[in-house]
Amino acid sequence: MTEDEFDGSLANVGTICYEAHGNLYLNITNRCSASCVFCIRDGSDGVYGYDLRLKKEPSVEDILGKLGSIDLSKYREVVFTGFGEATLRFDVLLEVTHWLKGRGVKIRLDTNGHAQLLYPERNVVAELKEAGLDEVSVSLNAESESKYNELCRPAFEGSYNAMLDFTRDAIAAGILTRMTVVGFNDIDIEKCEKVALDIGAAFHVR
């Protein structure tokens, strides 16, 4: 089915929401501003038994309609993650975050931290904070810019430093912030942890 043939049925969008670890995860895009060598998209159609390859990006109405049919109180938090970079749909992300916050839900964003490069005319962290984002998990993934460019293959020049700046800004805004890496042989975990802790973020190996 092509996008032009989409008939409005959520069944023809794909998996918007999925459950794991007591959380509800939101999959709002398959697009990304990086092409990491370890990305699960290259070897799988999803995680935890869910097919996350979207047939069409869900609209705000699609997402809120799905969320409105779910008892959100049974989850620890709602997390923007999935098969793509949620900040590529920044206005959708903000609107859904605002809606969730109005219902008392804890909200986390898993991101590569490229948002300020995507929207240089906006203060992306301030907008996320205003919308009600509680926590952000930033993919550090490498201890240096050269290693990052080799492993993550970002679409934009300067992505590594932009990611670090995004993390600093999130901390300064009072958003609970952690940095993560994949347990990958080419990454120096100890040096990555030092980068995160020096910035003031928590650190997690995923």
Side-chain angles (χ1 to χ4, degrees):
M1 174 177 290
T2 67
E3 185 166 334
D4 291 340
E5 294 170 331
F6 179 66
D7 63 3
S9 169
L10 285 181
N12 292 323
V13 171
T15 302
I16 299 173
C17 303
Y18 60 102
E19 300 177 342
H21 311 301
N23 298 332
L24 183 69
Y25 295 93
L26 296 182
N27 179 43
I28 66 172
T29 185
N30 287 169
R31 294 179 290 135
C32 192
S33 52
S35 181
C36 299
V37 299
F38 45 75
C39 184
I40 60 172
R41 293 184 303 177
D42 295 333
S44 172
D45 288 329
V47 294
Y48 310 123
Y50 296 95
D51 184 351
L52 300 183
R53 295 198 185 277
L54 295 167
K55 301 175 180 69
K56 179 181 184 294
E57 290 188 337
S59 66
V60 170
E61 292 74 22
D62 292 334
I63 299 166
L64 297 186
K66 183 67 174 177
L67 290 173
S69 69
I70 296 172
D71 178 8
L72 298 174
S73 66
K74 66 182 182 179
Y75 301 107
R76 292 184 306 168
E77 58 185 349
V78 173
V79 185
F80 289 92
T81 183
F83 249 21
E85 172 54 43
T87 61
L88 281 164
R89 305 191 69 202
F90 194 59
D91 288 321
V92 172
L93 168 62
L94 293 175
E95 190 167 344
V96 175
T97 297
H98 182 75
W99 184 92
L100 288 166
K101 182 51 59 178
R103 285 148 182 82
V105 176
K106 181 183 177 185
I107 310 148
R108 188 179 89 214
L109 167 66
D110 289 359
T111 180
N112 60 23
H114 297 173
Q116 197 61 63
L117 288 176
L118 294 168
Y119 310 97
E121 74 287 354
R122 301 170 72 163
N123 186 333
V124 294
V125 168
E127 291 190 56
L128 288 167
K129 176 70 173 179
E130 184 179 357
L133 186 70
D134 296 293
E135 184 175 352
V136 64
S137 181
V138 183
S139 296
L140 171 59
N141 285 339
E143 67 273 15
S144 67
E145 183 173 18
S146 59
K147 181 65 69 174
Y148 183 87
N149 289 339
E150 176 188 342
L151 297 178
C152 297
R153 300 179 296 188
F156 299 99
E157 186 176 350
S159 290
Y160 185 73
N161 287 323
M163 174 268 296
L164 298 179
D165 287 342
F166 176 90
T167 306
R168 294 186 186 99
D169 290 345
I171 293 169
I175 299 172
L176 187 63
T177 305
R178 72 176 184 179
M179 305 189 86
T180 70
V181 298
V182 174
F184 192 66
N185 289 339
D186 288 347
I187 297 171
D188 189 318
I189 300 296
E190 289 187 2
K191 287 184 179 179
C192 287
E193 183 174 16
K194 185 177 188 305
V195 170
L197 297 182
D198 284 350
I199 286 176
F203 181 73
H204 176 69
V205 180
R206 65 186 196 274

